[in-house]
Amino acid sequence: MARIPLTPPRTPFVRLTEWYSRRVYGKVLDPVRALGHNPRVLRSDLRFEQSVAKWNRLDPDLKALAEMATAAAIGCSWCMDFGYWVSRERGMAPEKVQDVPVWRDSDAYTPLERDVMAYAEAMTATPPTVEDDLVARLRDRLGEPALVELTAMVAVENLRSRINSSLGLTSQGFKDSCAVPASGGGRRTTAK
């Protein structure tokens, strides 16, 4: 249950943001409702997210895997739920989407994808546990601009996941509306 009411004051800005959220996502995102209690924070967050959406040096699938691995490491079920939905809407393979929480035990990922998720987890640890050899492999395979973007995306997802998790935001049912099939064999299909 959310630790803050998801009923912010009905200012014109909050109403406009809710309208846009419904139009784009089919429902009002709970983080919008939570941040709506402080319109300056909400406005800054929206501007920041619009800027982040324009970053384009890192492959979108690698970016999504890094975001979801970060969210899984933090335990943000809202972020995992939304990440599943966004990734499936973009066409990411179902096994890659559903296996993120157990990526080390899955055959779904390439060595590069594994390095990206390991990097996301290492950056998310407190304190960070990033090792030079992992960064060198990523720099060699991605190039410096994409490595910088990867690093920034993991930091951005840390911000998102820590805000959402700390405010008690949980799954909003996005995953249920996408084509992530239930699977057997011990694979995890629910958000962490």
Side-chain angles (χ1 to χ4, degrees):
M1 175 163 220
R3 294 182 179 115
I4 188 167
L6 299 179
T7 53
R10 306 287 303 148
T11 66
F13 177 65
V14 167
R15 287 196 312 269
L16 176 65
T17 305
E18 290 176 343
W19 170 82
Y20 179 80
S21 180
R22 270 198 254 5
R23 185 170 162 251
V24 173
Y25 304 109
K27 58 180 96 176
V28 178
L29 303 180
D30 285 350
V32 166
R33 289 182 170 143
L35 296 181
H37 288 283
N38 187 325
R40 285 187 174 181
V41 171
L42 177 58
R43 189 178 320 264
S44 295
D45 182 69
L46 293 174
R47 275 192 234 128
F48 179 66
E49 289 292 347
Q50 288 174 335
S51 179
V52 168
K54 295 175 185 173
W55 298 350
N56 63 3
R57 299 306 295 266
L58 181 64
D59 175 82
D61 283 351
L62 294 177
K63 189 179 298 192
L65 291 174
E67 290 172 301
M68 290 180 63
T70 301
I74 291 170
C76 181
S77 67
W78 193 92
C79 299
M80 291 298 295
D81 176 48
F82 190 69
Y84 280 132
W85 180 77
V86 168
S87 296
R88 288 299 296 135
E89 287 290 307
R90 276 191 35 265
M92 186 182 281
E95 61 277 3
K96 288 191 181 203
V97 177
Q98 70 190 17
D99 283 0
V100 169
V102 293
W103 66 268
R104 283 182 176 79
D105 300 324
S106 174
D107 296 331
Y109 305 105
T110 66
L112 176 57
E113 291 168 336
R114 290 178 177 286
D115 279 350
V116 164
M117 289 186 284
Y119 186 67
E121 286 183 0
M123 269 189 68
T124 301
T126 304
T129 58
V130 175
E131 296 180 358
D132 292 343
D133 63 324
L134 177 58
V135 175
R137 283 196 312 273
L138 287 168
R139 187 178 58 239
D140 289 346
R141 294 168 80 193
L142 297 174
E144 291 169 350
L147 175 60
V148 168
E149 187 170 316
L150 170 61
T151 303
M153 281 312 307
V154 172
V156 167
E157 188 56 41
N158 264 269
L159 173 69
R160 293 171 180 152
S161 291
R162 291 178 189 280
I163 288 173
N164 294 340
S165 183
S166 295
L167 292 177
L169 305 182
T170 59
S171 174
Q172 201 173 339
F174 281 98
K175 182 176 174 272
D176 298 337
S177 67
C178 66
V180 177
S183 66
R187 285 190 175 169
R188 201 146 136 193
T189 59
T190 57
K192 184 175 180 183

